């Protein structure tokens, strides 16, 4: 039996700035994970991944990242994805600046 | 130091113009990412976790003040006001925007710098002893050799699609500060019994997933045979090296699988064919390059100001004792500038710090700076009389930390704070260890101790050759840190031994403390260094300190 599909978001890096982006329900790229459309259906996720990967003039390295669904919106389940939502831990040079 | 010829200038300008057009074509959609990626990597541009990263070559770690100032300008104008000096004597900018990179490369070209072959399966930036041309123990300056190899390897048509990257290091001193035994090729400048200059050629060293200490393929290669011999080695590997599995593609695996004797025979055969192709033009070039590296005009001055400060200023004395090394010229010294202030990111310098270091090099250091593979900056030629002024200036910008070679002088790769390949963070571990030992005030008592941290198996942080090596891994979705002990990066190179199971992120600093406490209680006296104590007592007491309680608990259960 195939593994149960866990919730995911479509994520990538922006072509021009290189920073982390997430695909929203309106098919726009957002810098915030909280804006991301959470995908719970595997077939839907694969289609959105293929469509997003075709947007080569906007983003680089599109993939599906696991998230947990919470009342506050999607949260990363792996520490790598957690760092991607924030930026580096030695300086406030990444997304953590916007949160300040 | 070497100055670009018209040919060099035109070559770099043409490459920059090509890359500018490639970036434009990527942005306007004419190039896909698959098409663009190899082109950007050929020019040192990576895409990391949070942003692009531009890796700029600092050939054999040598810079002049104008170059350092330009790096500061680039950091301010197109990045976030700082740069990261790496274990390969390069500098990385962590936040460039794709559109700005062609301008950054043009700005580098203005000071005869570039980012060519800082990535990809090519011969990378040749590294050298950071004390080159200055060290008291040096036989010959390795930089002309490194520059000759750079010219031969840059855009070498046969070596643009190698099985994997290829790294060469050169030392001109018997005390190996260039980690030559952990490179694809390591060159040690030696003299034979007749007094002729030549090289001991070491091949197949490397760290990463399968750490190997390099083996001597030729104990004395005459100086004039260097390029054909190197070309023979790289071309033998280019054909034999495995392209089916990138973990088995480096020359260390080729040497291991075929055996040193087989590789040596193939190299000799290839060398016999190639030798006649080098008609002596390489030796003419080499002679010209050597002249570019003529030593500066050292002056003879009274060292009185130094002696006075050394006698009366304990802070200056501590800095001299740990950061200043013997120079070949009377009255001179080599001053190391620590980029490891306690709690700071190893290897990072702000643009203000870069400008200050450039000013000091211009005013007191014959306009020379070096980047060390230990991620510090070196002023290789400072008269001792000027050291008090240099030290006073360094203090103003937090650059006077007296910790070279000590527990807080940690090598750390960028790790998962920046790197897309990383499996765990390394910078915060380094910051916490340094902060902890600064609080404990034990640093000087502990003495020489090299901690080296990598955030993944690729070992950019040289953890295998650290006295204490730390490797950050992802264990079931959690950061986990393995420890090795007894590694050695010098001429007596050795790969460290694993202590046992790894430690969680919040356990790794306490684990290091238990190791250091064990050393302090086991050492015969304060003169016995960590590595000597480890070699004498072995792994057992350290293992007991790390795992003893857990093992007892396991047995009781």
């Amino acid at each position: 039996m195939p593994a149960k599909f866990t919730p995911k978001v479509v994520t990538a890096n922006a072509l021009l700035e290189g920073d982390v982006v997430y695909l929203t329900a309106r098919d726009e790229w957002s810098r915030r994970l909280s804006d991301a459309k959470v995908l719970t259906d595997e077939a839907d996720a694969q289609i959105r991944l293929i469509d997003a990967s075709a947007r080569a003039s906007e983003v680089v390295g599109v993939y599906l990242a696991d998230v947990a669904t919470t009342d506050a919106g999607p949260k990363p389940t792996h520490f790598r994805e957690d760092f991607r939502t924030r930026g580096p831990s030695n300086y406030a040079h990444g997304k953590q600046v916007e949160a300040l | 130091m070497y100055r670009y010829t018209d040919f060099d200038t035109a070559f770099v300008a043409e490459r920059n113009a090509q890359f500018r057009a490639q970036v434009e074509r990527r942005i306007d959609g004419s190039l896909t990412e698959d098409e663009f990626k190899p082109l950007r990597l050929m020019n040192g541009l990576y895409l990391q976790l949070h942003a692009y990263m531009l890796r700029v070559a600092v050939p054999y770690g040598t810079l002049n003040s104008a170059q350092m100032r330009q790096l500061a300008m680039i950091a301010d104008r197109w990045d976030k006001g700082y740069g990261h000096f790496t274990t390969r004597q390069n500098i990385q900018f962590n936040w460039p925007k794709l559109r700005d990179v062609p301008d950054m490369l043009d700005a580098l070209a203005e000071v005869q710098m570039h980012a060519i072959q800082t990535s990809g399966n090519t011969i990378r930036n040749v590294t050298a002893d950071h004390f080159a041309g200055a060290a008291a123990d040096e036989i010959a300056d390795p930089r002309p050799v490194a520059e000759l190899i750079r010219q031969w390897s840059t855009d070498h048509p046969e070596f643009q699609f190698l099985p994997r990257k290829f790294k060469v290091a050169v030392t001109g001193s018997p005390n190996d500060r260039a980690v030559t035994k952990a490179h694809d090729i390591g060159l040690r400048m030696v003299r034979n019994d007749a007094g002729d200059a030549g090289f001991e050629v070491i091949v197949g060293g490397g760290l990463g997933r399968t750490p190997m200490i390099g083996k001597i393929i030729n104990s004395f290669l005459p100086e004039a045979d260097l390029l054909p011999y190197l070309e023979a080695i790289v071309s033998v590997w280019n054909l034999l090296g495995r392209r089916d599995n990138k973990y088995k593609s480096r020359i260390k695996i080729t040497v291991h699988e075929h055996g040193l004797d087989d590789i040596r025979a193939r190299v000799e055969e290839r060398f016999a064919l190639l030798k006649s192709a080098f008609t002596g033009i390489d030796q003419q070039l080499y002679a010209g390059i050597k002249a570019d590296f003529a030593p500066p005009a050292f002056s003879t001055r009274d060292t009185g100001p130094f002696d006075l400060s050394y006698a009366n200023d304990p802070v200056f004395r501590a800095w001299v004792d740990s950061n200043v090394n013997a120079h070949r010229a009377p009255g001179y010294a080599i001053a190391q500038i620590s980029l490891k202030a306690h709690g700071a990111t190893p290897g990072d310098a702000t643009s203000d710090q870069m400008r200050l270091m450039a000013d000091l090099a211009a005013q007191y250091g014959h306009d020379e700076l070096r980047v060390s593979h230990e991620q510090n900056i070196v002023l290789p030629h400072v008269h001792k009389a000027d050291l008090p002024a240099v030290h006073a200036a360094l203090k103003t910008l937090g650059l006077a930390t007296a910790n070279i070679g000590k527990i807080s002088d940690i090598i750390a790769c960028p790790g998962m704070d920046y790197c897309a390949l990383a499996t765990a963070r390394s910078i915060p571990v380094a910051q916490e260890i340094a902060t902890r030992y600064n609080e404990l005030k034990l640093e000087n008592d502990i003495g020489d101790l090299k901690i080296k941290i990598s955030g993944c198996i690729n070992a950019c942080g040289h953890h295998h050759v650290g006295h204490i090596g730390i490797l950050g891994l992802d264990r079931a979705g959690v950061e986990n840190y393995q420890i090795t002990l007894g590694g050695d990066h010098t001429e007596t190179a050795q790969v460290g031994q694993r202590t046992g199971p790894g430690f969680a992120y919040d356990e790794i600093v306490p684990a290091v403390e238990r190791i250091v406490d064990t050393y302090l209680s086991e050492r015969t006296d304060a003169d016995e260094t960590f590595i000597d104590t480890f070699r004498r007592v072995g792994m057992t007491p350290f293992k007991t300190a790390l795992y003893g309680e857990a093992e007892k608990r396991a047995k009781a259960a």
Side-chain angles (χ1 to χ4, degrees):
Chain A
M1 199 178 128
K4 188 173 179 296
F5 185 75
T6 50
K8 297 199 170 33
V9 294
V10 176
T11 182
N13 289 78
L15 172 67
L16 295 181
E17 295 83 13
D19 56 350
V20 175
V21 292
Y22 302 94
L23 194 64
T24 69
R26 298 171 61 185
D27 281 340
E28 291 165 346
W29 296 107
S30 168
R31 264 67 180 163
R32 292 169 183 275
L33 176 60
S34 56
D35 295 338
K37 163 82 173 166
V38 178
L39 310 171
T40 51
D41 177 78
E42 184 166 12
D44 178 38
Q46 289 303 330
I47 289 167
R48 288 178 71 85
L49 174 65
I50 291 165
D51 289 347
S53 300
R55 295 164 73 169
S57 61
E58 299 168 16
V59 291
V60 182
V62 183
Y63 65 95
L64 295 171
D66 278 312
V67 289
T69 48
T70 72
D71 293 344
K75 295 285 172 205
T77 57
H78 190 278
F79 61 92
R80 186 177 194 271
E81 290 304 322
D82 191 24
F83 297 149
R84 287 181 81 241
T85 67
R86 280 202 307 269
S89 51
N90 59 335
Y91 306 118
H93 280 167
K95 292 180 181 303
Q96 63 268 67
V97 180
E98 297 154 32
L100 294 176
Chain B
M1 58 189 275
Y2 180 76
R3 309 292 302 171
Y4 276 13
T5 60
D6 292 346
F7 177 88
D8 299 330
T9 305
F11 172 75
V12 173
E14 189 186 359
R15 275 289 291 266
N16 285 354
Q18 288 168 350
F19 188 60
R20 182 177 291 277
Q22 288 155 3
V23 169
E24 279 167 20
R25 294 209 296 284
R26 175 69 183 95
I27 291 173
D28 74 17
S30 326
L31 289 177
T32 65
E33 185 61 19
D34 285 348
E35 291 164 332
F36 180 64
K37 187 176 177 184
L39 300 171
R40 70 167 158 80
L41 289 178
M42 281 170 75
N43 292 287
L45 185 64
Y46 287 73
L47 181 60
Q48 302 226 88
L49 217 50
H50 313 291
Y52 287 98
M53 178 272 280
L54 183 66
R55 179 184 293 155
V56 177
V58 179
Y60 30 90
T62 294
L63 284 167
N64 61 31
S65 64
Q67 291 173 324
M68 185 66 108
R69 279 197 197 98
Q70 190 80 337
L71 295 175
M73 187 282 284
I74 289 169
D76 281 339
R77 183 156 174 199
W78 292 295
D79 206 271
K80 293 186 188 285
Y82 76 105
H84 176 73
F85 291 97
T86 76
T87 54
R88 302 216 67 257
Q89 301 182 304
N90 290 323
I91 182 170
Q92 297 182 171
F93 293 106
N94 283 324
W95 303 94
K97 304 272 188 276
L98 180 57
R99 246 185 238 287
D100 294 335
V101 174
D103 290 339
M104 296 169 80
L105 293 177
D106 283 349
L108 289 167
E110 286 172 17
V111 291
Q112 309 198 338
M113 296 183 81
H114 62 66
I116 297 166
Q117 288 182 211
T118 60
S119 175
N121 293 335
T122 56
I123 300 175
R124 303 287 190 87
N125 185 30
V126 180
T127 53
D129 182 355
H130 44 267
F131 292 171
D137 57 4
E138 188 171 270
I139 296 166
D141 187 340
R143 290 173 303 158
V145 178
E147 175 59 32
L148 182 71
I149 297 170
R150 182 172 83 104
Q151 296 192 13
W152 160 78
S153 63
T154 301
D155 217 29
H156 191 305
E158 189 180 337
F159 303 143
Q160 294 304 298
F161 295 95
L162 294 169
R164 197 84 172 84
K165 57 190 165 185
F166 198 86
K167 300 175 182 175
V168 182
V170 196
T171 177
S173 161
N175 295 303
D176 186 1
R177 289 173 288 262
V179 209
T180 56
K181 289 187 176 171
H183 283 76
D184 296 291
I185 291 179
L187 296 171
R188 293 183 56 227
M189 301 176 81
V190 291
R191 288 192 179 276
N192 66 7
D193 293 341
D196 305 323
F199 300 95
E200 180 185 272
V201 184
I202 299 161
V203 72
L207 301 175
R209 183 173 298 257
T210 318
M212 300 247 188
I213 299 300
K215 301 166 181 74
I216 298 170
I217 189 168
N218 193 327
S219 57
F220 185 80
L221 178 73
E223 198 171 38
D225 290 343
L226 179 66
L227 288 190
Y229 197 82
L230 289 185
E231 190 151 309
I233 294 176
V234 183
S235 72
V236 164
W237 169 66
N238 196 17
L239 290 177
L240 273 188
R242 289 181 57 173
R243 291 168 193 265
D244 61 317
N245 180 343
K246 78 169 184 176
Y247 301 124
K248 298 191 172 178
S249 54
R250 298 289 288 268
I251 196 172
K252 62 189 173 187
I253 305 293
T254 315
V255 171
H256 185 72
E257 287 185 348
H258 289 260
L260 183 64
D261 292 338
D262 176 76
I263 296 294
R264 184 185 288 121
R266 289 170 192 262
V267 167
E268 293 293 341
E269 194 183 335
R270 183 85 185 134
F271 173 73
L273 281 174
L274 286 171
K275 173 110 169 77
S276 59
F278 286 78
T279 54
I281 183 72
D282 55 320
Q283 291 308 298
Q284 285 172 33
L285 270 175
Y286 184 42
I289 294 167
K290 268 193 202 170
D292 288 329
F293 288 95
F298 296 119
S299 59
T300 309
R301 285 156 60 197
D302 179 18
T303 58
F306 168 83
D307 300 328
L308 194 66
S309 289
Y310 191 82
N312 296 315
D313 179 352
V315 177
F316 176 71
R317 186 161 60 239
W319 180 74
V320 169
D321 288 348
S322 66
N323 293 34
V324 173
N325 294 76
H327 196 285
R328 63 195 314 168
Y332 274 77
I334 302 169
Q336 294 204 64
I337 302 172
S338 170
L339 298 184
K340 316 286 179 67
H342 299 104
T345 302
D348 278 10
T350 66
S351 54
D352 285 341
Q353 289 176 326
M354 288 184 217
R355 275 183 288 268
L356 175 64
M357 293 188 286
D359 291 347
L360 292 175
Q363 195 175 351
Y364 302 111
H366 294 275
D367 209 37
E368 272 202 44
L369 298 134
R370 305 286 169 73
V371 182
S372 79
H373 81 267
E374 291 173 323
Q375 301 179 285
N376 293 308
I377 300 295
V378 181
L379 294 172
H381 312 296
V382 183
H383 197 278
K384 280 186 172 181
D386 294 326
L387 283 174
V390 168
H391 180 249
L394 290 172
K395 279 200 286 193
T396 63
L397 287 181
L399 287 170
T401 310
N403 63 345
I404 297 291
K406 303 253 167 50
I407 192 168
S408 61
D409 183 12
I410 298 171
I411 288 185
C413 74
M416 205 184 271
D417 288 305
Y418 296 90
C419 180
L421 301 173
T423 44
R425 288 172 292 174
S426 40
I427 290 169
V429 177
Q431 290 174 306
E432 284 174 34
I433 293 170
T435 304
R436 178 71 182 138
Y437 279 92
N438 194 38
E439 287 163 2
L440 291 172
K441 300 291 170 211
L442 276 176
E443 185 154 45
N444 288 321
D445 188 27
I446 295 163
D448 284 351
L449 174 52
K450 306 270 188 190
I451 298 184
K452 301 179 195 275
I453 309 174
S454 303
C456 84
I457 194 80
N458 293 313
C460 294
H462 296 191
H463 64 276
H464 297 296
V465 292
H467 299 159
I468 299 176
I470 299 174
L471 165 62
L473 295 168
D474 174 350
R475 282 278 178 264
V478 180
E479 286 168 295
N480 188 273
Y481 294 86
Q482 281 180 4
I483 297 176
T484 48
L485 297 178
D488 176 358
H489 68 292
T490 70
E491 61 281 359
T492 48
Q494 237 177 346
V495 172
Q497 307 163 39
R498 259 188 62 194
T499 57
F503 296 86
Y505 181 81
D506 56 2
E507 294 170 349
I508 183 64
V509 179
V512 169
E513 266 192 80
R514 291 206 291 283
I515 291 166
V516 174
D517 289 348
T518 305
Y519 155 62
L520 291 173
S521 62
E522 291 283 340
R523 70 182 180 184
T524 50
D525 56 49
D527 289 335
E528 190 182 55
T529 60
F530 178 89
I531 188 70
D532 288 339
T533 301
F534 178 81
R535 283 175 179 157
R536 182 175 54 77
V537 305
M539 183 65 98
T540 309
F542 295 96
K543 256 190 161 159
T544 306
L546 287 173
Y547 307 108
E549 295 306 312
E551 275 176 17
K552 277 179 206 158
R553 273 204 302 277
K555 278 178 192 157

